[in-house]
Amino acid sequence: MHEAHEALETYKKKDVNKVVVRFKAVGNAPIMKQNFYKITASNRFQAVIQFLRKELGWKQGDPLFTYINLAFSPAPDDTVANLFKSFSTDGHLIVNYSTTAAWG
Amino acid sequence: MLTRSDFDQACKAYVDAHRNARASGVKDYPAGWIWTEHPYVLNLGYLSRTRHLSGTPHPRTDVGEADDFNHPSVEEDDAVWHSTEESLTCNQYVVYSATFGVPAFYFTLHDRSGSPLALEQVVQSALFRPNTLPSPDGNTFAVTLPHSAFSLLSQGDHPTLGTPSWYLHPCNTAEVVGEIMAEVEEGRTNLLRCMEAWFMVLGNIVDLFAGE
């Protein structure tokens, strides 16, 4: 019974575990006053993109591209937890963002 | 902006650096590209690879509610191969665009019988990340963003093979990759890094790990 309780507690903890994300502007993208944010790890990366859009005041159609460590573009369904585990540096996950339209 | 010779070097360096997909399954740099040159004309080299994507399943007819027919409901068995689900062959190429001095992404997409897909199906296929391309809106040969001078996705001949392909228009590529290279840490602004940055930008709309 005690083990079951502990197991449940562990899963509960996972849900609220937050990780630090650091946003870094690329090119002419607007720079935010605050760059470090704590985000719940179980979120999908899509939530980070939406959060960034809101902070920048960028509407849905405006071009916004996000990258991890200037290495790759994460899929919106990747979880923040997995990205953090594989790519964090110095305790935070670097998310670069650009507003330059890449296509057309 | 890359010269043709820069492009050749960059591609070869990339092939060497990212020969195989990471054993850990981490999806950062798309791997498995092959460098091919024209059999007798110089300076027409390109990268290529083939991927098999799962196609959009045709709408399945419902089995029907068990209550209506007094029959036990048929359970969906995941082990059964659904013949309505297509496997698409996608040939992907990275070629040098002489006009813009940058790499450009060309591809073909065929179904199992070898027929090329129509634009509408291409846009909705697993090759592209969902909701990244605008709808073709009845156009059958190109997809264009509003207020844009060039089509984003249109048809053209592969520069070396001469075969009909789809390609993503590279006119903004130099600017975007340039911006990224400006942020790259000192001492790493080499051709390989440039190629990696290009794949990173491409990865925004093309799912470079589909079919792996």
mmCIF file of all heavy atoms in Angstrom, chain B residues 45-78:
data_model
loop_
_atom_site.group_PDB
_atom_site.id
_atom_site.type_symbol
_atom_site.label_atom_id
_atom_site.label_comp_id
_atom_site.label_asym_id
_atom_site.label_seq_id
_atom_site.Cartn_x
_atom_site.Cartn_y
_atom_site.Cartn_z
ATOM 1 N N GLY B 45 26.525 18.111 -58.759
ATOM 2 C CA GLY B 45 26.300 17.185 -57.657
ATOM 3 C C GLY B 45 25.125 17.603 -56.782
ATOM 4 O O GLY B 45 24.764 18.771 -56.710
ATOM 5 N N TYR B 46 24.526 16.606 -56.119
ATOM 6 C CA TYR B 46 23.379 16.879 -55.242
ATOM 7 C C TYR B 46 23.274 15.782 -54.187
ATOM 8 O O TYR B 46 23.891 14.723 -54.317
ATOM 9 C CB TYR B 46 22.082 16.930 -56.071
ATOM 10 C CG TYR B 46 21.808 15.643 -56.849
ATOM 11 C CD1 TYR B 46 21.021 14.626 -56.300
ATOM 12 C CD2 TYR B 46 22.355 15.440 -58.112
ATOM 13 C CE1 TYR B 46 20.793 13.445 -56.999
ATOM 14 C CE2 TYR B 46 22.128 14.258 -58.813
ATOM 15 C CZ TYR B 46 21.352 13.272 -58.255
ATOM 16 O OH TYR B 46 21.135 12.097 -58.945
ATOM 17 N N LEU B 47 22.483 16.070 -53.154
ATOM 18 C CA LEU B 47 22.231 15.070 -52.109
ATOM 19 C C LEU B 47 20.903 14.388 -52.416
ATOM 20 O O LEU B 47 19.991 15.026 -52.958
ATOM 21 C CB LEU B 47 22.102 15.737 -50.738
ATOM 22 C CG LEU B 47 23.351 16.357 -50.146
ATOM 23 C CD1 LEU B 47 23.004 17.044 -48.828
ATOM 24 C CD2 LEU B 47 24.413 15.304 -49.911
ATOM 25 N N SER B 48 20.797 13.132 -52.072
ATOM 26 C CA SER B 48 19.502 12.478 -52.251
ATOM 27 C C SER B 48 19.297 11.401 -51.207
ATOM 28 O O SER B 48 20.244 10.904 -50.599
ATOM 29 C CB SER B 48 19.397 11.855 -53.645
ATOM 30 O OG SER B 48 20.230 10.715 -53.723
ATOM 31 N N ARG B 49 18.040 11.072 -50.984
ATOM 32 C CA ARG B 49 17.674 9.923 -50.171
ATOM 33 C C ARG B 49 16.212 9.608 -50.479
ATOM 34 O O ARG B 49 15.488 10.457 -51.021
ATOM 35 C CB ARG B 49 17.892 10.177 -48.683
ATOM 36 C CG ARG B 49 17.024 11.240 -48.091
ATOM 37 C CD ARG B 49 17.206 11.372 -46.587
ATOM 38 N NE ARG B 49 16.131 12.166 -46.044
ATOM 39 C CZ ARG B 49 15.964 12.415 -44.755
ATOM 40 N NH1 ARG B 49 16.808 11.916 -43.870
ATOM 41 N NH2 ARG B 49 14.957 13.145 -44.340
ATOM 42 N N THR B 50 15.802 8.407 -50.136
ATOM 43 C CA THR B 50 14.413 7.996 -50.375
ATOM 44 C C THR B 50 13.781 7.617 -49.047
ATOM 45 O O THR B 50 14.406 6.969 -48.219
ATOM 46 C CB THR B 50 14.372 6.779 -51.334
ATOM 47 O OG1 THR B 50 14.994 7.149 -52.543
ATOM 48 C CG2 THR B 50 12.933 6.362 -51.609
ATOM 49 N N ARG B 51 12.565 8.043 -48.860
ATOM 50 C CA ARG B 51 11.856 7.706 -47.641
ATOM 51 C C ARG B 51 10.488 7.129 -48.028
ATOM 52 O O ARG B 51 9.904 7.512 -49.039
ATOM 53 C CB ARG B 51 11.643 8.959 -46.765
ATOM 54 C CG ARG B 51 12.914 9.420 -46.046
ATOM 55 C CD ARG B 51 13.272 8.456 -44.956
ATOM 56 N NE ARG B 51 14.501 8.741 -44.257
ATOM 57 C CZ ARG B 51 15.699 8.253 -44.581
ATOM 58 N NH1 ARG B 51 15.837 7.497 -45.643
ATOM 59 N NH2 ARG B 51 16.766 8.529 -43.862
ATOM 60 N N HIS B 52 9.990 6.206 -47.204
ATOM 61 C CA HIS B 52 8.658 5.650 -47.445
ATOM 62 C C HIS B 52 7.741 6.173 -46.362
ATOM 63 O O HIS B 52 7.907 5.870 -45.183
ATOM 64 C CB HIS B 52 8.708 4.121 -47.449
ATOM 65 C CG HIS B 52 9.566 3.603 -48.568
ATOM 66 N ND1 HIS B 52 9.126 3.582 -49.868
ATOM 67 C CD2 HIS B 52 10.853 3.178 -48.594
ATOM 68 C CE1 HIS B 52 10.108 3.129 -50.652
ATOM 69 N NE2 HIS B 52 11.163 2.884 -49.903
ATOM 70 N N LEU B 53 6.777 6.980 -46.770
ATOM 71 C CA LEU B 53 5.878 7.607 -45.806
ATOM 72 C C LEU B 53 4.548 6.884 -45.791
ATOM 73 O O LEU B 53 4.115 6.354 -46.802
ATOM 74 C CB LEU B 53 5.616 9.071 -46.213
ATOM 75 C CG LEU B 53 6.806 9.899 -46.625
ATOM 76 C CD1 LEU B 53 6.341 11.270 -47.076
ATOM 77 C CD2 LEU B 53 7.775 10.037 -45.467
ATOM 78 N N SER B 54 3.900 6.896 -44.653
ATOM 79 C CA SER B 54 2.553 6.329 -44.625
ATOM 80 C C SER B 54 1.625 7.399 -45.182
ATOM 81 O O SER B 54 1.739 8.567 -44.848
ATOM 82 C CB SER B 54 2.146 5.930 -43.217
ATOM 83 O OG SER B 54 2.047 7.053 -42.421
ATOM 84 N N GLY B 55 0.753 6.943 -46.079
ATOM 85 C CA GLY B 55 -0.147 7.888 -46.715
ATOM 86 C C GLY B 55 -1.371 8.127 -45.874
ATOM 87 O O GLY B 55 -1.579 7.508 -44.845
ATOM 88 N N THR B 56 -2.197 9.025 -46.298
ATOM 89 C CA THR B 56 -3.453 9.267 -45.585
ATOM 90 C C THR B 56 -4.363 8.082 -45.846
ATOM 91 O O THR B 56 -4.638 7.768 -46.993
ATOM 92 C CB THR B 56 -4.148 10.531 -46.117
ATOM 93 O OG1 THR B 56 -3.171 11.527 -46.305
ATOM 94 C CG2 THR B 56 -5.216 10.997 -45.164
ATOM 95 N N PRO B 57 -4.856 7.418 -44.808
ATOM 96 C CA PRO B 57 -5.743 6.278 -45.057
ATOM 97 C C PRO B 57 -7.035 6.755 -45.692
ATOM 98 O O PRO B 57 -7.507 7.829 -45.372
ATOM 99 C CB PRO B 57 -6.022 5.717 -43.662
ATOM 100 C CG PRO B 57 -5.131 6.444 -42.728
ATOM 101 C CD PRO B 57 -4.655 7.668 -43.398
ATOM 102 N N HIS B 58 -7.568 5.971 -46.609
ATOM 103 C CA HIS B 58 -8.865 6.318 -47.159
ATOM 104 C C HIS B 58 -9.894 6.170 -46.050
ATOM 105 O O HIS B 58 -9.720 5.348 -45.163
ATOM 106 C CB HIS B 58 -9.216 5.392 -48.326
ATOM 107 C CG HIS B 58 -8.273 5.572 -49.469
ATOM 108 N ND1 HIS B 58 -7.833 4.527 -50.229
ATOM 109 C CD2 HIS B 58 -7.647 6.669 -49.957
ATOM 110 C CE1 HIS B 58 -6.997 4.973 -51.143
ATOM 111 N NE2 HIS B 58 -6.863 6.258 -51.000
ATOM 112 N N PRO B 59 -10.958 6.933 -46.106
ATOM 113 C CA PRO B 59 -11.947 6.822 -45.016
ATOM 114 C C PRO B 59 -12.502 5.402 -44.959
ATOM 115 O O PRO B 59 -12.862 4.838 -45.974
ATOM 116 C CB PRO B 59 -13.043 7.819 -45.405
ATOM 117 C CG PRO B 59 -12.730 8.267 -46.782
ATOM 118 C CD PRO B 59 -11.325 7.916 -47.105
ATOM 119 N N ARG B 60 -12.477 4.834 -43.759
ATOM 120 C CA ARG B 60 -12.958 3.451 -43.618
ATOM 121 C C ARG B 60 -14.448 3.455 -43.376
ATOM 122 O O ARG B 60 -14.956 4.300 -42.665
ATOM 123 C CB ARG B 60 -12.267 2.782 -42.416
ATOM 124 C CG ARG B 60 -10.833 2.506 -42.679
ATOM 125 C CD ARG B 60 -10.275 1.591 -41.620
ATOM 126 N NE ARG B 60 -8.841 1.806 -41.541
ATOM 127 C CZ ARG B 60 -8.208 2.218 -40.472
ATOM 128 N NH1 ARG B 60 -8.848 2.420 -39.356
ATOM 129 N NH2 ARG B 60 -6.917 2.411 -40.487
ATOM 130 N N THR B 61 -15.116 2.515 -43.970
ATOM 131 C CA THR B 61 -16.570 2.435 -43.698
ATOM 132 C C THR B 61 -16.740 1.854 -42.295
ATOM 133 O O THR B 61 -16.003 0.965 -41.892
ATOM 134 C CB THR B 61 -17.282 1.521 -44.707
ATOM 135 O OG1 THR B 61 -16.531 0.305 -44.792
ATOM 136 C CG2 THR B 61 -17.343 2.173 -46.070
ATOM 137 N N ASP B 62 -17.673 2.382 -41.559
ATOM 138 C CA ASP B 62 -17.878 1.908 -40.188
ATOM 139 C C ASP B 62 -18.392 0.485 -40.171
ATOM 140 O O ASP B 62 -19.152 0.092 -41.042
ATOM 141 C CB ASP B 62 -18.898 2.796 -39.470
ATOM 142 C CG ASP B 62 -18.270 4.137 -39.122
ATOM 143 O OD1 ASP B 62 -17.031 4.206 -39.082
ATOM 144 O OD2 ASP B 62 -19.022 5.086 -38.912
ATOM 145 N N VAL B 63 -17.999 -0.247 -39.180
ATOM 146 C CA VAL B 63 -18.465 -1.637 -39.042
ATOM 147 C C VAL B 63 -19.956 -1.652 -38.735
ATOM 148 O O VAL B 63 -20.695 -2.518 -39.143
ATOM 149 C CB VAL B 63 -17.677 -2.338 -37.923
ATOM 150 C CG1 VAL B 63 -18.243 -3.707 -37.641
ATOM 151 C CG2 VAL B 63 -16.213 -2.424 -38.313
ATOM 152 N N GLY B 64 -20.428 -0.666 -38.057
ATOM 153 C CA GLY B 64 -21.853 -0.628 -37.696
ATOM 154 C C GLY B 64 -22.030 -0.936 -36.225
ATOM 155 O O GLY B 64 -21.250 -1.679 -35.647
ATOM 156 N N GLU B 65 -23.019 -0.343 -35.635
ATOM 157 C CA GLU B 65 -23.240 -0.541 -34.209
ATOM 158 C C GLU B 65 -23.699 -1.966 -33.937
ATOM 159 O O GLU B 65 -24.584 -2.471 -34.609
ATOM 160 C CB GLU B 65 -24.339 0.429 -33.716
ATOM 161 C CG GLU B 65 -23.900 1.876 -33.720
ATOM 162 C CD GLU B 65 -22.694 2.107 -32.816
ATOM 163 O OE1 GLU B 65 -22.693 1.611 -31.670
ATOM 164 O OE2 GLU B 65 -21.768 2.781 -33.261
ATOM 165 N N ALA B 66 -23.104 -2.584 -32.951
ATOM 166 C CA ALA B 66 -23.470 -3.969 -32.630
ATOM 167 C C ALA B 66 -24.941 -4.068 -32.236
ATOM 168 O O ALA B 66 -25.621 -5.021 -32.546
ATOM 169 C CB ALA B 66 -22.584 -4.480 -31.503
ATOM 170 N N ASP B 67 -25.434 -3.039 -31.563
ATOM 171 C CA ASP B 67 -26.824 -3.086 -31.085
ATOM 172 C C ASP B 67 -27.835 -3.199 -32.217
ATOM 173 O O ASP B 67 -28.864 -3.834 -32.080
ATOM 174 C CB ASP B 67 -27.133 -1.813 -30.278
ATOM 175 C CG ASP B 67 -26.294 -1.755 -29.021
ATOM 176 O OD1 ASP B 67 -26.047 -2.827 -28.414
ATOM 177 O OD2 ASP B 67 -25.895 -0.659 -28.667
ATOM 178 N N ASP B 68 -27.528 -2.538 -33.335
ATOM 179 C CA ASP B 68 -28.496 -2.560 -34.431
ATOM 180 C C ASP B 68 -28.687 -3.947 -35.008
ATOM 181 O O ASP B 68 -29.762 -4.273 -35.485
ATOM 182 C CB ASP B 68 -28.027 -1.643 -35.573
ATOM 183 C CG ASP B 68 -27.967 -0.189 -35.122
ATOM 184 O OD1 ASP B 68 -28.666 0.133 -34.153
ATOM 185 O OD2 ASP B 68 -27.226 0.576 -35.726
ATOM 186 N N PHE B 69 -27.598 -4.719 -35.055
ATOM 187 C CA PHE B 69 -27.673 -5.977 -35.782
ATOM 188 C C PHE B 69 -27.670 -7.204 -34.907
ATOM 189 O O PHE B 69 -27.697 -8.308 -35.405
ATOM 190 C CB PHE B 69 -26.499 -6.072 -36.776
ATOM 191 C CG PHE B 69 -26.505 -4.952 -37.771
ATOM 192 C CD1 PHE B 69 -25.665 -3.851 -37.605
ATOM 193 C CD2 PHE B 69 -27.363 -4.977 -38.853
ATOM 194 C CE1 PHE B 69 -25.677 -2.803 -38.518
ATOM 195 C CE2 PHE B 69 -27.378 -3.931 -39.767
ATOM 196 C CZ PHE B 69 -26.542 -2.845 -39.607
ATOM 197 N N ASN B 70 -27.624 -7.013 -33.580
ATOM 198 C CA ASN B 70 -27.561 -8.154 -32.675
ATOM 199 C C ASN B 70 -26.379 -9.054 -32.957
ATOM 200 O O ASN B 70 -26.449 -10.256 -32.775
ATOM 201 C CB ASN B 70 -28.856 -8.989 -32.767
ATOM 202 C CG ASN B 70 -29.933 -8.326 -31.931
ATOM 203 O OD1 ASN B 70 -29.635 -7.673 -30.942
ATOM 204 N ND2 ASN B 70 -31.168 -8.495 -32.326
ATOM 205 N N HIS B 71 -25.317 -8.458 -33.480
ATOM 206 C CA HIS B 71 -24.097 -9.241 -33.678
ATOM 207 C C HIS B 71 -23.036 -8.707 -32.748
ATOM 208 O O HIS B 71 -23.027 -7.524 -32.436
ATOM 209 C CB HIS B 71 -23.578 -9.099 -35.120
ATOM 210 C CG HIS B 71 -24.414 -9.832 -36.117
ATOM 211 N ND1 HIS B 71 -24.578 -9.416 -37.407
ATOM 212 C CD2 HIS B 71 -25.126 -10.967 -35.990
ATOM 213 C CE1 HIS B 71 -25.349 -10.259 -38.050
ATOM 214 N NE2 HIS B 71 -25.704 -11.210 -37.217
ATOM 215 N N PRO B 72 -22.111 -9.554 -32.336
ATOM 216 C CA PRO B 72 -21.040 -9.006 -31.492
ATOM 217 C C PRO B 72 -20.200 -8.018 -32.313
ATOM 218 O O PRO B 72 -20.009 -8.221 -33.504
ATOM 219 C CB PRO B 72 -20.205 -10.241 -31.105
ATOM 220 C CG PRO B 72 -20.592 -11.300 -32.066
ATOM 221 C CD PRO B 72 -21.955 -10.985 -32.578
ATOM 222 N N SER B 73 -19.733 -6.947 -31.705
ATOM 223 C CA SER B 73 -18.979 -5.947 -32.470
ATOM 224 C C SER B 73 -17.616 -6.510 -32.860
ATOM 225 O O SER B 73 -17.007 -7.270 -32.118
ATOM 226 C CB SER B 73 -18.797 -4.674 -31.657
ATOM 227 O OG SER B 73 -18.194 -4.990 -30.434
ATOM 228 N N VAL B 74 -17.180 -6.169 -34.035
ATOM 229 C CA VAL B 74 -15.873 -6.642 -34.515
ATOM 230 C C VAL B 74 -14.815 -5.716 -33.964
ATOM 231 O O VAL B 74 -14.877 -4.507 -34.150
ATOM 232 C CB VAL B 74 -15.828 -6.599 -36.062
ATOM 233 C CG1 VAL B 74 -14.453 -6.999 -36.554
ATOM 234 C CG2 VAL B 74 -16.897 -7.504 -36.648
ATOM 235 N N GLU B 75 -13.851 -6.273 -33.288
ATOM 236 C CA GLU B 75 -12.813 -5.419 -32.714
ATOM 237 C C GLU B 75 -11.742 -5.117 -33.751
ATOM 238 O O GLU B 75 -11.377 -5.961 -34.533
ATOM 239 C CB GLU B 75 -12.176 -6.117 -31.514
ATOM 240 C CG GLU B 75 -13.118 -6.163 -30.342
ATOM 241 C CD GLU B 75 -12.367 -6.114 -29.023
ATOM 242 O OE1 GLU B 75 -11.190 -6.520 -29.020
ATOM 243 O OE2 GLU B 75 -12.962 -5.695 -28.027
ATOM 244 N N GLU B 76 -11.261 -3.904 -33.739
ATOM 245 C CA GLU B 76 -10.173 -3.522 -34.628
ATOM 246 C C GLU B 76 -8.906 -4.242 -34.168
ATOM 247 O O GLU B 76 -8.523 -4.138 -33.019
ATOM 248 C CB GLU B 76 -9.936 -2.007 -34.526
ATOM 249 C CG GLU B 76 -10.928 -1.169 -35.305
ATOM 250 C CD GLU B 76 -10.497 -0.943 -36.746
ATOM 251 O OE1 GLU B 76 -9.436 -1.442 -37.151
ATOM 252 O OE2 GLU B 76 -11.235 -0.259 -37.467
ATOM 253 N N ASP B 77 -8.279 -4.959 -35.060
ATOM 254 C CA ASP B 77 -7.058 -5.669 -34.710
ATOM 255 C C ASP B 77 -5.885 -4.886 -35.287
ATOM 256 O O ASP B 77 -5.722 -4.781 -36.498
ATOM 257 C CB ASP B 77 -7.109 -7.080 -35.318
ATOM 258 C CG ASP B 77 -5.888 -7.899 -34.950
ATOM 259 O OD1 ASP B 77 -4.965 -7.352 -34.299
ATOM 260 O OD2 ASP B 77 -5.843 -9.077 -35.324
ATOM 261 N N ASP B 78 -5.068 -4.348 -34.414
ATOM 262 C CA ASP B 78 -3.954 -3.530 -34.883
ATOM 263 C C ASP B 78 -2.942 -4.304 -35.708
ATOM 264 O O ASP B 78 -2.176 -3.723 -36.454
ATOM 265 C CB ASP B 78 -3.220 -2.900 -33.687
ATOM 266 C CG ASP B 78 -4.057 -1.780 -33.084
ATOM 267 O OD1 ASP B 78 -4.795 -1.118 -33.835
ATOM 268 O OD2 ASP B 78 -3.992 -1.587 -31.859
#
